[in-house]
Amino acid sequence: MKNPSFNTLKFFRHYFEIPARFPLQWGVVRETSPQGDELRLAVLLKGTDRYIDVAMRRFFQTIDTPIIKRQTAPAQRTSLPDAYQYLAETGWRVVKPKSFIRDIYFTALFSEDLITTRLL
């Protein structure tokens, strides 16, 4: 993918090779474990219990076990000056810098920019 626009669902479709028959939408995951609750940014595969945990770069599914519970909710994305807000109808809210997705995925894809960028 040449010069990807990281902050799009199209990027995730391409990166994870998701067929067009699976609609995507932004979402928020609430993960509950003995360590507590955490809200995470996700890309939901509509009509399934599967989602991509954006920060972890992998698929998960909703689950409810004695050890861990993962719930998802569709979210509306709103652009703020330096960040995106993802707000679900449940009230779950995740705010991430506009560079969040690029920071995670840039070094996972080859591009000419990768050759000239300092990688830490």
Side-chain angles (χ1 to χ4, degrees):
M1 181 174 220
K2 191 171 184 170
N3 298 320
S5 179
F6 293 96
N7 289 318
T8 65
L9 294 173
K10 182 179 178 180
F11 167 75
F12 286 95
R13 182 173 304 284
H14 178 80
Y15 183 85
F16 288 96
E17 300 180 355
I18 301 168
R21 71 179 181 272
F22 293 99
L24 303 178
Q25 71 184 124
W26 297 111
V28 175
V29 175
R30 180 179 180 190
E31 188 171 285
T32 305
S33 70
Q35 287 76 37
D37 283 0
E38 182 177 8
L39 296 177
R40 304 178 62 81
L41 176 60
V43 173
L44 308 181
L45 278 72
K46 290 170 81 171
T48 76
D49 65 348
R50 311 302 159 124
Y51 66 90
I52 299 164
D53 183 306
V54 171
M56 292 186 157
R57 289 191 303 200
R58 61 162 283 195
F59 287 94
F60 285 96
Q61 74 182 102
T62 57
I63 191 168
D64 188 356
T65 69
I67 296 173
I68 192 165
K69 181 176 184 176
R70 292 190 201 107
Q71 303 167 276
T72 61
Q76 292 294 323
R77 181 173 78 173
T78 305
S79 182
L80 305 172
D82 295 324
Y84 287 112
Q85 171 181 268
Y86 302 85
L87 182 60
E89 289 181 6
T90 58
W92 303 340
R93 178 177 173 258
V94 173
V95 177
K96 296 293 182 187
K98 288 188 174 177
S99 65
F100 180 72
I101 296 171
R102 183 190 184 283
D103 292 345
I104 294 168
Y105 289 86
F106 176 76
T107 57
L109 296 168
F110 178 82
S111 71
E112 292 297 325
D113 292 337
L114 184 70
I115 300 303
T116 59
T117 301
R118 184 175 182 156
L119 304 176
L120 303 175

